[in-house]
Amino acid sequence: MDRYQLVDRTGHTAGEMSLDAVTGLIRQGRLFRSDQVVKNGAEAHRLDILPELLDVFDEVMPQGMRAAEGGRHQLPALSGEFDTLGFADLLTQLYQEKRTGRLFVFDSRTEKARVLIFRAGQVISAMSDAEDEWLGKLLLGQGIIDEGAYRQAVELRKLNGSRLGSALVYLEKLSSRQLKRALSVQAMERLLNVFRVREGRFNFVNDDTAGAEEILLIASTRDLIETGLSAALSARQVDE
């Protein structure tokens, strides 16, 4: 049986896990194509190098149209080409239908992916593989922690596998309240960056387990749409 070990951005290597466990994390939006893995003790490389994972990534987060039998394109429900106004309509639809699940969005220009978590139609959290949206980068950018604190937290994570935020709290570089706020800011920034996507694809997957995810966003759908559209407009004015 093949053995897989995940390697995170800090260099921490997780314990061995099965192929089913890895595919489960992909379907939850916790692993992205760019994440690193060690298979059977070999060198670390990107997850999308492994043939056994390509179909799983294409299932939840398609990067382009896939031709079905006969050359006709077939897409699952609530999937398609991304555009900002259409995304606002999609959020409204998911809210009205009280959907629980995960919305996978791929940005064709930056080749970054994001996942929005929905519970009963409300966005409650977000995940991303964009480096500038990682917690450590945000905390450093906001001046909440310094490079020394970040390095200490990374070393602690490598030692015991704790999350970076938890390590910072343990080291008393961050309070629990500050961590909660930082995670909420992180989730909001990821959501706003979805609105800023100019070209890409999206795919919504119904998933009841998404309802058990930690709530990091508490704004109403209407407020999220208004804020997101404003962010998208500002980004385009800067580009122009």
Side-chain angles (χ1 to χ4, degrees), residues 36-206:
Q36 299 285 307
V37 65
V38 171
K39 179 180 178 181
N40 297 330
E43 293 184 0
H45 49 68
R46 287 170 54 115
L47 283 172
D48 60 3
I49 295 296
L50 300 180
E52 62 266 36
L53 297 178
L54 290 181
D55 284 344
V56 183
F57 279 117
D58 286 344
E59 170 193 329
V60 299
M61 194 176 298
Q63 293 182 317
M65 300 282 280
R66 287 193 297 165
E69 293 183 8
R72 298 183 63 185
H73 297 303
Q74 294 185 350
L75 293 171
L78 293 175
S79 297
E81 300 292 339
F82 186 94
D83 71 82
T84 301
L85 292 178
F87 176 56
D89 291 339
L90 176 62
L91 290 185
T92 300
Q93 178 184 347
L94 294 174
Y95 172 73
Q96 292 174 340
E97 296 177 358
K98 306 300 180 186
R99 296 283 191 117
T100 296
R102 304 172 195 273
L103 179 66
F104 296 80
V105 180
F106 177 74
D107 187 331
S108 300
R109 291 190 173 189
T110 64
E111 296 189 345
K112 298 301 181 183
R114 298 177 180 86
V115 183
L116 303 184
I117 313 301
F118 287 77
R119 185 172 75 179
Q122 296 277 8
V123 186
I124 62 171
S125 188
M127 290 176 275
S128 166
D129 69 341
E131 184 174 353
D132 58 353
E133 296 171 12
W134 298 345
L135 182 62
K137 294 289 186 180
L138 289 175
L139 292 172
L140 286 168
Q142 295 173 6
I144 297 175
I145 63 171
D146 58 23
E147 286 287 350
Y150 176 73
R151 287 195 296 270
Q152 289 181 51
V154 167
E155 290 304 315
L156 182 59
R157 172 163 175 72
K158 290 179 181 179
L159 182 65
N160 62 17
S162 61
R163 292 186 176 184
L164 184 67
S166 298
L168 287 166
V169 172
Y170 176 81
L171 294 168
E172 298 183 346
K173 306 297 183 180
L174 200 67
S175 69
S176 296
R177 183 175 180 179
Q178 285 177 309
L179 174 60
K180 180 71 173 180
R181 183 179 182 279
L183 291 173
S184 295
V185 170
Q186 178 188 44
M188 177 60 79
E189 185 62 23
R190 288 170 170 172
L191 172 62
L192 296 182
N193 281 337
V194 172
F195 275 94
R196 296 181 178 113
V197 172
R198 301 291 290 272
E199 297 176 10
R201 295 195 56 73
F202 71 89
N203 178 34
F204 182 82
V205 179
N206 292 306

Side-chain angles (χ1 to χ4, degrees), residues 208-228:
D208 289 340
T209 67
E213 298 279 0
E214 182 180 7
I215 298 175
L216 297 176
L217 291 170
I218 57 174
S220 70
T221 298
R222 178 178 178 178
D223 287 344
L224 291 177
I225 290 174
E226 290 180 351
T227 304

